[in-house]
């Protein structure tokens, strides 16, 4: 697969030609010619990659693709080496060409350096031309015409893979889901309703839909049962990736038994005939394996809207396929059922039923039980994988040695075993359908360890730093990255582990089996190399491809880094990303990775960051979080291309001059300290005032306030997140003026200096898009401007010591969903008035309001409240009236007196109170349990 490196190179070449105005006259046309040749190869590469992904391709095709990929990497190395401002040497090999580029100590405008670049580019142009000519010599142009066969193969694989599970008729773990869907289908809703079954490939969507479909058909035959919703007609149509509207409508005509209409009619005529037939009937139509919302936009007009019950059941890997229907607004899904992985016990049953078919009870022998459990665990509850793995291993000898060997070489088995072709195919279809930028982003996720919880915000920063996120006019790279994550999760390629309170993906994971299948592809791409070191030595989980661009070290020591750098320095120079997990110390030869873009040392113990860090000129992402670091070397200021700097949870007090670091987008520098929760628990760093000239900054969190910082921080008009520490009372007026200039600000956090007071009442025009506000410190008067922040979703007040209740200022906020008071109010009564106040508040947290005696909730107030947490309020006599908290689902009482706990009505009966009650250790040292 060469698509990804070629696309990334084209982007690099484009940027290089735009930014490098000092190139020799001869160099620019040569680079433009290389770009043209690579662009002409795009369509051929796409089809070649599809064939390689599917079932392999001729050796000549594989060799040609490898040559293109190697050339793309070599050109990228030439350009990156050329940009280095210090001495170095790179050896480049492509075909029979071997060249050396010797660096001059001076920089880009050095004539000798320009001449050497021109020579290298000329050599590369000849190499690219030779590769292009080789395509004709090997008769590879036929690949361009391979699209048709590829489409047919896709259709065949799509229509058979999940049907493979359906034919197996497994019932493990899906009866409950069938009951849910039957309830929806027979709900009595008189209008056309869409039921969308969404899940990753092989999750059993088709099996589930088929069981519901046949059950509804059987019910239709019970004419004398008035309790069952009756449907007049049924149709099941597989749609597949290669959607053709006419084919689908023709299949509908056959299934609906509509006779007398010529099949050769156009789409409109066919659709109208179906519409007329269904107009006076109740019907159930299943559209299986839908890949695009275009399907419903194209054929939606054929499904009439009337007052009789009709159901459209859609199965898809994509959650958004039923949204945005232009023709028929009622086709927006009324119900979405996300098909989840099977539970462990159901997974074991399904696996054993296929692995031990000759055994009537399908039981696993005791001596194989441990291996069986491991194999089932690797499948992560995916029915297709369980069925296929069970079938393959059923033909092996029933010995522990044989089964353990199969488990240990599972990655290899998945890649080559014909019996697992269906598993490979189901994932290949999903991957092959991705646009090229999402393919690169998805493969990059393999750099994280198995079952690793991937933070979405971190993943986006890594993508941006690697140049994998495309620029879009009118939006930031970070916002585009969020769209990428949403798309990958909607396609079920990344699994959502947690969402934030805004409904966005907070953390995700790769399915373990999917990761195993994608690793060989990353190996062939030269994208990734993983080295895991344990007590038994180091193990290369992905072959040591000499062109590997990303290096992931797990449990590795400095010994591994030295081995890589000293045995073959060329490999170290080619690495662009270096991530370390569970590693005890920082590598001593870090500067050998001279073209590094990403360096993630989170959790690695670092006594002192080497001065040579400043030699990593191309470095864009530097993560030093939780490394016990006390000082940042001044050489950090030489990292001209640095975009993201994370130094959270360290002991760093001062940041060096970053005036030459013009591309910074993300800076996070605050730290948590373990001691009683006070205003000083969070600590920032002292930054030079030049940080306020960074025109690209999107997030600046953990900066200590000084007079100069407060005066100039208003220059950062593009900021999305600002976290200020040690703000003094006298900063109030100037700080308010600075904040008013930040029209794009979404999140604002301000912490006072020790026990100082925040003066924020002079803020006249708050940022219009502000969503989060966090205030730490005493506030004499609650800032009235907060009630004008209509987009505010989360508000946290800490140590505010307010005399007057803040609720009157907040009750009309239309979007406030989360509100926390921590030692923030000294009054005795907290009242939430009624009649549409706090219309969207879902979470309310009250902590250490030491004088609070009562919480009053008026009629029709807090109607949407779902979680109420009260902690450390010793004077509180009773919780709010439970009859008015009609939607409350969870009540947490933490460190509360006994008399408050006993005031909770119906403690022995959840249903009486209507919420799940969690009682934790009280102030009288008793433990309260539900």
């Amino acid at each position: 697969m060469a698509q990804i490196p070629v696309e990334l190179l084209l982007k690099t070449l484009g940027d290089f030609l735009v930014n490098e105005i000092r190139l020799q006259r001869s160099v620019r046309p040569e680079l433009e010619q290389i770009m043209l040749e690579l662009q002409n190869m795009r369509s051929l590469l796409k089809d070649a990659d599809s064939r390689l992904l599917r079932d392999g391709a001729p050796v000549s095709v594989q060799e040609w693709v490898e040559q293109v990929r190697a050339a793309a990497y070599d050109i990228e190395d030439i350009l990156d080496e050329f940009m280095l401002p210090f001495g170095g040497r790179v050896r480049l090999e492509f075909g029979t060409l071997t060249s050396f580029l010797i660096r001059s100590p001076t920089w880009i405008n050095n004539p000798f350096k320009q001449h050497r670049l021109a020579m290298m580019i000329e050599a590369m142009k000849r190499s690219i031309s030779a590769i292009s000519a080789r395509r004709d010599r090997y008769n590879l142009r036929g690949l361009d015409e391979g699209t048709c066969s590829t489409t047919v193969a896709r259709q065949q694989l799509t229509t058979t893979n999940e049907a493979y599970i359906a034919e197996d008729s497994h019932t493990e773990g899906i009866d409950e889901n069938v009951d849910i869907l039957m309830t929806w289908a027979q709900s009595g809703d008189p209008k056309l309703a869409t039921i969308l079954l969404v899940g990753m490939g092989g999750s059993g969507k088709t099996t589930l839909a088929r069981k519901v479909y046949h059950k509804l058909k059987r019910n239709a035959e019970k004419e004398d049962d008035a309790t069952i919703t009756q449907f007049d007609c049924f149709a099941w149509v597989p749609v597949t990736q290669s959607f053709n509207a006419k084919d689908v409508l023709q299949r509908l005509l056959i299934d609906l038994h509509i006779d007398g209409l010529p099949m050769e009619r156009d789409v409109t005529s066919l659709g109208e005939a179906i519409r007329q037939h269904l107009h006076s009937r109740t019907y159930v139509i299943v559209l299986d394996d839908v890949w695009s919302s275009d399907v419903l936009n194209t054929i939606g007009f054929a499904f009439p809207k009337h007052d009789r019950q009709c159901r459209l059941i859609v199965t898809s890997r994509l959650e958004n396929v039923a949204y945005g229907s232009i023709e028929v607004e009622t086709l927006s899904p009324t119900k979405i059922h996300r098909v989840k992985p099977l539970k462990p016990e159901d997974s074991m049953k399904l696996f054993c039923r296929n692995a031990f078919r000759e055994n009537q009870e399908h039981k696993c022998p005791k001596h194989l039980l441990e291996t069986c459990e491991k194999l089932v665990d690797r499948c992560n509850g995916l029915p297709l994988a369980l069925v296929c793995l069970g079938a393959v291993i059923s033909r092996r000898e029933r010995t522990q040695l044989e089964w353990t060997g199969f488990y240990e070489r599972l990655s290899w088995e998945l890649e080559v075993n014909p019996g697992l072709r269906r598993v490979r195919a189901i994932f290949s279809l999903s991957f092959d359908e991705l646009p090229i930028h999402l393919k690169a982003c998805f493969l990059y996720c393999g750099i994280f360890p198995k079952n690793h919880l991937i933070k979405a915000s971190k993943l986006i920063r890594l993508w941006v730093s690697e140049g994998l996120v495309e620029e879009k006019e009118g939006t930031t790279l970070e916002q585009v990255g969020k769209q990428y994550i949403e798309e990958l999760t909607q396609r079920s390629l990344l699994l959502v582990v947690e969402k934030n309170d805004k409904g966005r993906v907070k953390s995700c994971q790769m399915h373990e089996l999917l990761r195993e299948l994608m690793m060989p592809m990353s190996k062939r791409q030269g994208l990734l190399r993983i080295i895991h070191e344990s007590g038994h030595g180091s193990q290369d989980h992905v072959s040591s491809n000499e062109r590997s661009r990303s290096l992931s070290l797990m449990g590795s020591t400095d010994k591994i880094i030295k081995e890589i750098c000293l045995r073959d320095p060329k490999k170290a120079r080619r690495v662009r990303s270096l991530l370390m997990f569970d590693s005890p110390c920082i590598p001593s030869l870090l500067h050998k990775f001279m073209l590094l873009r990403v360096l993630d040392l989170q959790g690695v113990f670092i006594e002192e960051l080497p001065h040579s860090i400043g030699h990593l000129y191309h470095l864009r992402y530097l993560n030093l979080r939780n490394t016990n670091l006390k000082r940042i070397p001044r050489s950090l200021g030489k990292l001209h291309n640095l975009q993201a700097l994370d130094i959270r949870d360290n002991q760093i007090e001062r940041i060096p001059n970053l005036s030459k670091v013009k591309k910074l987008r993300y800076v996070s520098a605050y730290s948590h300290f373990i001691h009683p929760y006070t205003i000083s628990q969070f600590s920032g760093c002292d930054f030079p005032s030049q940080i306020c000239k960074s025109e690209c900054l999107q997030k600046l969190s953990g900066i200590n306030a000084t007079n100069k910082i407060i005066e100039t921080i208003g220059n950062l008009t593009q900021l999305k997140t600002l976290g200020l520490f040690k703000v003094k009372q006298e900063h109030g007026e100037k700080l308010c003026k600075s904040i008013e200039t930040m029209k794009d600000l979404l999140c604002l956090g301000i912490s006072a200096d020790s026990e100082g007071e925040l003066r924020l009442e002079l803020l006249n025009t708050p940022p219009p898009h502000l969503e989060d506000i966090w205030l730490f410190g005493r506030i004499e008067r609650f800032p009235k401007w907060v009630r004008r922040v209509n987009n505010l979703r989360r508000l946290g007040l800490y140590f505010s010591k307010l005399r007057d209740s803040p609720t009157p200022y907040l009750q009309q906020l239309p979007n406030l969903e989360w509100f926390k008071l921590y030692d923030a109010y000294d009054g005795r009564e907290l009242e939430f008035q009624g009649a549409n106040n706090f219309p969207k508040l879902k979470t309310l947290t009250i902590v250490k309001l030491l004088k609070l005696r009562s919480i009053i909730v008026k009629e029709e107030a807090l109607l949407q409240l779902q979680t109420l947490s009260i902690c450390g309020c010793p004077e509180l006599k009773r919780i709010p009236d439970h009859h008015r908290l009609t939607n409350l689902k969870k009540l947490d009482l933490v460190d509360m007196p006994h008399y408050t706990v006993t005031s909770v009505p119906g403690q022995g009966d959840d249903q009486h109170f209507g919420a799940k009650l969690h009682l934790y250790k009280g102030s009288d040292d008793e433990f309260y349990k539900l």
Side-chain angles (χ1 to χ4, degrees), residues 45 49 120 158 181 197 220 424 566 588 629 652 807 814 883 899:
L45 285 171
D49 286 346
M120 294 302 298
T158 306
L181 294 175
L197 277 63
R424 292 195 299 273
L566 300 178
S588 57
L629 199 59
I652 302 167
T807 57
H883 293 295
Y899 53 76

Side-chain angles (χ1 to χ4, degrees), residues 857-863 878-888 905-906 911-914:
V857 179
K858 295 288 187 178
E859 196 75 35
E860 296 186 5
L862 302 182
L863 291 179
R878 293 182 62 85
I879 64 165
D881 188 346
H882 65 283
H883 293 295
R884 291 175 179 171
L885 302 176
T886 55
N887 284 310
L888 196 67
Q911 294 181 352
H912 176 74
F913 187 72

Side-chain angles (χ1 to χ4, degrees), residues 815-854:
N815 294 298
L816 186 65
E817 297 178 356
W818 190 97
F819 180 34
K820 183 172 184 176
L821 290 164
Y822 188 106
D823 193 12
Y825 173 51
D826 285 342
R828 296 184 176 184
E829 183 178 280
L830 192 62
E831 182 175 343
F832 295 86
Q833 299 176 8
N836 300 319
N837 290 331
F838 297 95
K840 289 189 178 180
L841 190 66
K842 295 179 181 178
T843 302
L844 174 62
T845 305
I846 298 170
V847 184
K848 287 196 174 182
L849 302 192
L850 302 181
K851 298 179 182 179
L852 186 67
R853 293 188 175 183
S854 63

